[in-house]
Structures are given as structure tokens and as C-alpha cells.
Amino acid sequence: MARGDEPLLSQDRPSSDHSDERSVEEEDALLTGQKQQRTWGWSRWREIGLFAWAVIATALVILFAVLYQHQQQTSNPSPSGGGWKNGRPTGKRNLIFMVSDGMGPTSLSLTRSFRQMEAGLPIDNTLVLDDHLIGSSRTRSSSSLVTDSAAGATAFSCGKKSYNGAISVLPNRDPCGTVLEAAKRAGYMTGLVVTTRITDATPACFAAHVNYREEENRIAEQEVGEHPLGRVLDLMLGGGRCYFLPNNTEGSCRNDGRDIVDLARKNGFSYVNDRKGFDGLNLGTGVKFPLLGLFADTDIPYEVDRRNMNDVYPSLDEMARTALQALLEATEDSEKGFFLMIEGSRIDHAGHGNDPVAQVHEVIAYDDAFASVLDFLGQDGVEGVLVGTSDHETGGLATARQLNDNYPEYHWFPAVLANATRSAENLAYQLRDHIAGKHISPLDIGIKTPPRSSKDDEGALRSYIRTHLIENGLGVHDITPDELDRLTHVSTDPWPASYILADIVSRRAQVGWTTHGHSAVDVNIYASDPEQASPLVGNHENTEIGKFLIEYLGLDDEVDAVTSDLRAKGEGMWMGKALEDGVVGKQGDHYEGDFRKRILGCGCERGLKGHVH
């Protein structure tokens, strides 16, 4: 029979590569569409049995895994004798809460690319923070879709919304008990570590109650123990010394003669105020509690500047490690652990100043401190968790900038930031001092100065600005005549010198900003362990972060008790002057406030006295 004459369905050909039981009739049925009676053989029943067994075995494996995890969390003791029950830890435990003030998601993109470029790292070499991202937070306050740090920190400390400017005070002007105050009441040790003033909004919200954030004199008093609950803090490290010194003392910014350092000592605090004193703490092994450490008159300099003054100011990472070790040793024999708030405070200030150079170095410094806390938790035998987030984003930062009316090129240039050796703020202070030293018109915020009388003086000033500030400080060698003119006549320019200097860098790096204030952008949530912080996985209101902090330490009852004690004190003057409803939420912190005052022609000099870095 010729090959082409062979029947399509050969009698001696198996019907399938996988089964020799399919008959020729079955195969004909598939081709003709005529229904045939099917008989299941042993092979088919064996396949069904194996499939059923696989399903049952998989289900059993999943069940046993879930039961094991539940048993680990609810009954297995930690090295400290604690464990987990009903989704909450039991026994001794530590809670470290980190705040990256003003850091939005774009801050991470900016810093990640800068770090990779500067260090020659591959694109998959990311920040420590990137490996611990678990969610995001919505940031609005009770008075605005755009929060300030005071309302943001009140959400963290009390777990409640309040108005912009409120320091752990609710919209009805009632004080709300904080997680730190409740922790102290329950027997935990407590601490604050910041790089801004220790009286600034974020730290203040954990240990003080005032109707408006600018009451920093009163905040200082409460932080050292002049408080309805007595002393609630065991450790404070940061800046803001000027609010603790009487106004007849050099470097003071108080409006009265009270000596808060002396008050602190009377309440048992040991006090250190310089690098030598900090070094004497021996990274935490030489601490005498309670401790007050104030290392700058106002804010500790930006990290990009501080690194050149390491013999004067400690870093955020050094202060964080010191606090962790000190609190660890202090609670070694206690049934309770500690609560510590650590803030990378000046990320926010870099955003207010629209300074990308200061921004990336502040974020890297915060990332370093975050890594140190992770190392601490990994080595410590006590149950503990790190939760980190931002109170808001500052600056409306974008890693893109359109410089003209043409369709933009898709670029931004981190190398421009790497060329700079100083922050715009630092260079502005240098310009101010240079002008004062040359007896030319002083550079002060909000002061209109007369025109310079000498062309020789102006020429020398232009040369100083070009060479010392722009080329040596910013690493920019193509300054335009207009930019040089604005800096030479900065006293008559609507912008302060620091804003002009920052814009020179931002334009060349093609980094964009939309505001010198805050934005309503959602911010990231981080954790050392996503399972321990599982209630914060996903997108949440910022108040849910505060509630988690309270619940993790099991402080629900203590918060209620603290709140009752505070309210029993009554409103009174201990919380400062009550604000009218029309005022609440309309004032900002001193960075955005100074810019507003300058535009309005106010002759204020806030933030300049004793603040040359």
C-alpha cells in the first residue's frame, strides 16, 4: 500500500503517547464529533488518586505552617522572657520610633541615585531604608490637607488628629496623653534624640503640651520636669541650648531670665553641652541618668557641614547609638524596656530651603542611624521593633525640572550635587559674616539696607562670591551675571541668600521644587520586621501609626490615665496662651515663617543669633 493510501487511523497505532487504553473508536469520536461510551481504566483512577493526595498534602503543609507560626508568636518565649499573644508582644520589650521629618518618596529617589553615582555603586545597591519599606501614610491634619510637624507628631504621640501648630493638644484644646508619658508611667525608660532643637515640634509632642508650637520656652520647662506629671524624660540629646539659658546669657533666645539648665540640674539631670562632654558619655556606657545633652545653640548643622566640624558636633548616628546603649544598660535588670524617639530633623529644613545638597546628606545620615538601630535590635536579646515614618513631605521635591518653554529632556544630574562641599545655608552665613567684616551693609533677614557706596567694595564682594562661595562652595563654574547680581545685592532681593544659592545648584542638577513649605504627599512607613509591625502594612492614616506605638507597648490604659491626669490640671497657663480659632493652623515653623516675614518687611532676625556654622 502506498504511503498516501494508508488509513488515517491505523489499527496498530496507539491512540496517545500517554495512554494505550484509548481505543480507535475514541479517537474517531474526537475527529467525527460522534459521542462514544467511555470506560475508565486503572490508569485514570490512579491519576485522580494522585491528584487528590497532592491537594490534601499541600493543604496539610500550609495548615502545619500556620499553626507553627501561631505557636511561635503566642507561646514561644523570647530571650527576654516575653513572647506573643493575640498578635501583641508580651513581657519585656523595646520600641524605637524614627521620624524622617519632611522626607517624601522622592527624597529616597534623589538620595539613592546620588549615592550610587558618588560611590560608583551598581543600580541595585540601594539604601537600607529601601529594604524595610512596608507601607505609606496619609498626613492631613484636622485643620488642613497639608499638615505641619506639630499636628503630624501629635498623630504619632497621641494617635489623634489635631490642628497645625498643636503640641499634643486636641482641637478642643484638651491635652492628650502621649505614648512616651504613658510608657514612663508604666515603668519604661524614655528618650528623645534629634538634630534640631529639642524643643522643636516633633520632640515636643512626646513630652510637652502647649497650644502652639512657638512656645519653646515653656516646652523646655516641661521637658526637664516642670510638667503636670513631673519628669517624664530620662534622656535628651540634640540642639536648642538657647531655650535653656536665661536671656542675660550670651547665646540665649529666651524672653525671660529663667535658667532651665539650672532647673534641670535641680530635677536630677546631668548636663553636657559640647563635644568633649558627649565623648565622655562613651557611646552610652558613661551616662548618668537622667541626661540632658544640648550640643548647639539652635539646630545642629546640616550633615554636609557638620562632617567638617566633627570635633564640635556629634552626628545623628552617634547620638542614636549612645542613647540605645545607655537605655539598654539602664533597663538591663528591669522588667520593662524603653521607648526612644529618634528624628532626622533637618531633612525638613533642607526641603524648606530647597537645597538638594543638604537634602541628600541628611537622608544618608538618617539611613546610617536607621542601620545602627537595626544592628542594635539584631544583637539585643530583648524583644523589640523599629518603626519609621515621616510627618510630611517638604518642598514638593521632584527629580525633574523644566528650565525653559521647550519640551524638557528626561534628565537629572546627581553629579552636580557631588561637586558641592557646603550647604546653601552655610554659604549664606559666610556671606553675611564677610559683608559684616568688610563693613558693608549687613545681611539680615527682613532688613532693607542702603546701596553700597563704593564700586571697589562691590567688585571685591563679587569676586568673593564667585570664587569662595560659588566655585569652591557649590562647585559651580558657570554662574550667570544675573545670579551674581542677585547675591551681590541680596539685601534688596525678595529671596534670602540661601534660597538663591540653593537654586543655582537645583537648576544645574535639574532638580525641581514646588514650594518652600510642606506638601500633602503620602509618606513611607518602614519597620525592622514587617510581621511585628503587620498592622502598618499598606496605606494608613498617620494616627494609626500612633495607635500602633501605644498598642505595641500595651499602654492603652496608661494613655487614658495620663490624659485624665493632664485634663485634671485644667487648661490654665501651663499650656500657654490659648489661640483664637481664626489663628489656629495659619502659622508655620520658623523656616517658612522667616520667608513670610521677609516678604512682609518684618525686621525679624530669628534663627541668626548664635547660628553661624
mmCIF file of all heavy atoms in Angstrom, residues 124-134 367 370 374 526-528 530:
data_model
loop_
_atom_site.group_PDB
_atom_site.id
_atom_site.type_symbol
_atom_site.label_atom_id
_atom_site.label_comp_id
_atom_site.label_asym_id
_atom_site.label_seq_id
_atom_site.Cartn_x
_atom_site.Cartn_y
_atom_site.Cartn_z
ATOM 1 N N ASP A 124 21.467 48.332 41.655
ATOM 2 C CA ASP A 124 20.724 47.541 42.637
ATOM 3 C C ASP A 124 21.283 47.702 44.049
ATOM 4 O O ASP A 124 20.821 47.041 44.986
ATOM 5 C CB ASP A 124 20.701 46.062 42.239
ATOM 6 C CG ASP A 124 22.097 45.457 42.130
ATOM 7 O OD1 ASP A 124 23.085 46.218 42.198
ATOM 8 O OD2 ASP A 124 22.193 44.227 41.958
ATOM 9 N N ASN A 125 22.260 48.594 44.219
ATOM 10 C CA ASN A 125 22.778 48.889 45.553
ATOM 11 C C ASN A 125 21.956 50.053 46.108
ATOM 12 O O ASN A 125 22.136 51.202 45.727
ATOM 13 C CB ASN A 125 24.264 49.257 45.487
ATOM 14 C CG ASN A 125 24.888 49.359 46.872
ATOM 15 O OD1 ASN A 125 24.450 50.136 47.706
ATOM 16 N ND2 ASN A 125 25.922 48.574 47.101
ATOM 17 N N THR A 126 21.043 49.738 46.998
ATOM 18 C CA THR A 126 20.065 50.725 47.450
ATOM 19 C C THR A 126 20.314 51.128 48.900
ATOM 20 O O THR A 126 21.253 50.651 49.548
ATOM 21 C CB THR A 126 18.639 50.167 47.302
ATOM 22 O OG1 THR A 126 18.538 48.949 48.047
ATOM 23 C CG2 THR A 126 18.321 49.887 45.842
ATOM 24 N N LEU A 127 19.473 51.989 49.415
ATOM 25 C CA LEU A 127 19.567 52.414 50.801
ATOM 26 C C LEU A 127 19.058 51.320 51.731
ATOM 27 O O LEU A 127 18.262 50.463 51.334
ATOM 28 C CB LEU A 127 18.750 53.683 51.016
ATOM 29 C CG LEU A 127 19.166 54.912 50.201
ATOM 30 C CD1 LEU A 127 18.099 55.989 50.279
ATOM 31 C CD2 LEU A 127 20.508 55.444 50.684
ATOM 32 N N VAL A 128 19.494 51.358 52.978
ATOM 33 C CA VAL A 128 18.995 50.412 53.971
ATOM 34 C C VAL A 128 17.481 50.560 54.098
ATOM 35 O O VAL A 128 16.741 49.575 54.217
ATOM 36 C CB VAL A 128 19.679 50.648 55.333
ATOM 37 C CG1 VAL A 128 19.071 49.755 56.413
ATOM 38 C CG2 VAL A 128 21.182 50.405 55.226
ATOM 39 N N LEU A 129 17.007 51.790 54.055
ATOM 40 C CA LEU A 129 15.573 52.045 54.166
ATOM 41 C C LEU A 129 14.771 51.289 53.113
ATOM 42 O O LEU A 129 13.662 50.808 53.386
ATOM 43 C CB LEU A 129 15.297 53.544 54.033
ATOM 44 C CG LEU A 129 15.692 54.430 55.215
ATOM 45 C CD1 LEU A 129 15.763 55.887 54.779
ATOM 46 C CD2 LEU A 129 14.696 54.268 56.359
ATOM 47 N N ASP A 130 15.323 51.183 51.904
ATOM 48 C CA ASP A 130 14.592 50.548 50.807
ATOM 49 C C ASP A 130 14.208 49.105 51.119
ATOM 50 O O ASP A 130 13.196 48.603 50.635
ATOM 51 C CB ASP A 130 15.417 50.597 49.518
ATOM 52 C CG ASP A 130 15.552 51.999 48.963
ATOM 53 O OD1 ASP A 130 14.561 52.739 48.999
ATOM 54 O OD2 ASP A 130 16.651 52.365 48.508
ATOM 55 N N ASP A 131 15.026 48.433 51.923
ATOM 56 C CA ASP A 131 14.765 47.028 52.246
ATOM 57 C C ASP A 131 13.738 46.867 53.355
ATOM 58 O O ASP A 131 13.376 45.734 53.699
ATOM 59 C CB ASP A 131 16.068 46.338 52.679
ATOM 60 C CG ASP A 131 17.082 46.262 51.551
ATOM 61 O OD1 ASP A 131 16.648 46.182 50.385
ATOM 62 O OD2 ASP A 131 18.293 46.292 51.827
ATOM 63 N N HIS A 132 13.280 47.974 53.924
ATOM 64 C CA HIS A 132 12.380 47.877 55.080
ATOM 65 C C HIS A 132 11.087 48.665 54.882
ATOM 66 O O HIS A 132 10.392 48.972 55.847
ATOM 67 C CB HIS A 132 13.116 48.344 56.339
ATOM 68 C CG HIS A 132 14.247 47.440 56.717
ATOM 69 N ND1 HIS A 132 14.069 46.318 57.504
ATOM 70 C CD2 HIS A 132 15.557 47.453 56.371
ATOM 71 C CE1 HIS A 132 15.225 45.704 57.652
ATOM 72 N NE2 HIS A 132 16.142 46.362 56.972
ATOM 73 N N LEU A 133 10.772 48.952 53.632
ATOM 74 C CA LEU A 133 9.537 49.661 53.304
ATOM 75 C C LEU A 133 8.354 48.707 53.453
ATOM 76 O O LEU A 133 8.343 47.626 52.867
ATOM 77 C CB LEU A 133 9.611 50.196 51.874
ATOM 78 C CG LEU A 133 8.360 50.873 51.314
ATOM 79 C CD1 LEU A 133 8.063 52.154 52.082
ATOM 80 C CD2 LEU A 133 8.550 51.165 49.829
ATOM 81 N N ILE A 134 7.340 49.110 54.247
ATOM 82 C CA ILE A 134 6.176 48.240 54.448
ATOM 83 C C ILE A 134 4.851 48.913 54.092
ATOM 84 O O ILE A 134 3.827 48.253 53.994
ATOM 85 C CB ILE A 134 6.095 47.708 55.887
ATOM 86 C CG1 ILE A 134 5.836 48.845 56.884
ATOM 87 C CG2 ILE A 134 7.332 46.909 56.254
ATOM 88 C CD1 ILE A 134 5.431 48.363 58.271
ATOM 89 N N ASP A 367 19.678 57.352 57.140
ATOM 90 C CA ASP A 367 19.798 55.948 56.744
ATOM 91 C C ASP A 367 20.865 55.245 57.577
ATOM 92 O O ASP A 367 20.694 54.085 57.977
ATOM 93 C CB ASP A 367 20.138 55.873 55.256
ATOM 94 C CG ASP A 367 19.954 54.491 54.664
ATOM 95 O OD1 ASP A 367 18.811 53.997 54.672
ATOM 96 O OD2 ASP A 367 20.950 53.905 54.189
ATOM 97 N N PHE A 370 19.370 54.603 60.953
ATOM 98 C CA PHE A 370 18.399 53.513 60.818
ATOM 99 C C PHE A 370 19.121 52.164 60.827
ATOM 100 O O PHE A 370 18.692 51.218 61.499
ATOM 101 C CB PHE A 370 17.618 53.700 59.520
ATOM 102 C CG PHE A 370 16.395 52.838 59.377
ATOM 103 C CD1 PHE A 370 15.151 53.306 59.733
ATOM 104 C CD2 PHE A 370 16.500 51.555 58.851
ATOM 105 C CE1 PHE A 370 14.016 52.509 59.583
ATOM 106 C CE2 PHE A 370 15.382 50.745 58.706
ATOM 107 C CZ PHE A 370 14.132 51.225 59.071
ATOM 108 N N LEU A 374 18.873 48.934 63.510
ATOM 109 C CA LEU A 374 18.681 47.542 63.089
ATOM 110 C C LEU A 374 19.755 46.636 63.680
ATOM 111 O O LEU A 374 19.460 45.530 64.152
ATOM 112 C CB LEU A 374 18.691 47.448 61.567
ATOM 113 C CG LEU A 374 17.523 48.087 60.812
ATOM 114 C CD1 LEU A 374 17.767 48.008 59.305
ATOM 115 C CD2 LEU A 374 16.200 47.420 61.170
ATOM 116 N N TYR A 526 8.290 52.455 57.411
ATOM 117 C CA TYR A 526 9.343 51.442 57.452
ATOM 118 C C TYR A 526 9.271 50.674 58.767
ATOM 119 O O TYR A 526 8.755 51.183 59.768
ATOM 120 C CB TYR A 526 10.725 52.095 57.329
ATOM 121 C CG TYR A 526 10.905 52.924 56.080
ATOM 122 C CD1 TYR A 526 10.620 54.291 56.084
ATOM 123 C CD2 TYR A 526 11.341 52.345 54.895
ATOM 124 C CE1 TYR A 526 10.772 55.056 54.941
ATOM 125 C CE2 TYR A 526 11.506 53.107 53.746
ATOM 126 C CZ TYR A 526 11.213 54.466 53.769
ATOM 127 O OH TYR A 526 11.366 55.210 52.638
ATOM 128 N N ALA A 527 9.801 49.464 58.764
ATOM 129 C CA ALA A 527 9.845 48.680 60.003
ATOM 130 C C ALA A 527 11.000 47.698 59.955
ATOM 131 O O ALA A 527 11.407 47.245 58.876
ATOM 132 C CB ALA A 527 8.533 47.930 60.229
ATOM 133 N N SER A 528 11.514 47.366 61.132
ATOM 134 C CA SER A 528 12.580 46.369 61.218
ATOM 135 C C SER A 528 12.058 44.987 60.862
ATOM 136 O O SER A 528 12.792 44.153 60.327
ATOM 137 C CB SER A 528 13.161 46.351 62.634
ATOM 138 O OG SER A 528 12.141 46.143 63.605
ATOM 139 N N PRO A 530 8.394 43.320 59.219
ATOM 140 C CA PRO A 530 7.022 43.557 58.769
ATOM 141 C C PRO A 530 5.991 42.721 59.511
ATOM 142 O O PRO A 530 4.823 43.108 59.598
ATOM 143 C CB PRO A 530 7.065 43.195 57.280
ATOM 144 C CG PRO A 530 8.267 42.325 57.122
ATOM 145 C CD PRO A 530 9.253 42.781 58.150
#
